[in-house]
């Protein structure tokens, strides 16, 4: 499995869409579970949409039902005023 981005940067309040690609194309179960290791910094929904919540770094992990994983390291900075 691969993600469309290995790193993502943005400001508090911004979002990024992550997309997981599962191989082979004919895999029968393409279920992906998304998890953030630091939800106070960045959250992720069931579709891979990341929302930047607070300043800092967080790792978003996508995991297939058979245990394959891919990560995206997120860096969040303060929004410009």
């Amino acid at each position: 499995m691969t993600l469309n981005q290995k790193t993502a940067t943005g400001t508090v309040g911004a979002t990024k869409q992550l997309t997981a690609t599962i191989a082979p194309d004919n895999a029968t179960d393409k279920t992906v579970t998304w998890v953030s290791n630091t939800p106070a910094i960045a959250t992720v929904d069931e579709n891979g949409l990341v929302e930047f919540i607070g300043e800092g770094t967080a790792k978003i992990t996508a995991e297939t039902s058979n245990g394959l994983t891919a990560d995206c390291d997120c860096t969040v900075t303060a929004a410009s005023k």
Side-chain angles (χ1 to χ4, degrees):
M1 173 176 52
T2 59
L3 294 182
N4 61 325
Q5 293 181 237
K6 290 189 181 283
T7 62
T9 58
T11 58
V12 173
T15 60
K16 292 275 184 182
Q17 180 65 57
L18 297 180
T19 304
T21 302
I22 298 173
D25 288 339
N26 65 347
T28 56
D29 185 354
K30 294 192 176 197
T31 303
V32 175
T33 302
W34 298 90
V35 178
S36 170
N37 74 337
T38 314
I41 304 296
T43 61
V44 61
D45 72 9
E46 67 276 3
N47 299 309
L49 181 64
V50 179
E51 182 176 359
F52 299 139
I53 304 298
E55 293 179 65
T57 59
K59 183 182 296 277
I60 303 298
T61 301
E63 183 174 1
T64 63
S65 58
N66 64 345
L68 298 176
T69 63
D71 299 320
C72 178
D73 293 315
C74 298
T75 301
V76 184
T77 58
S80 301
K81 295 185 179 188

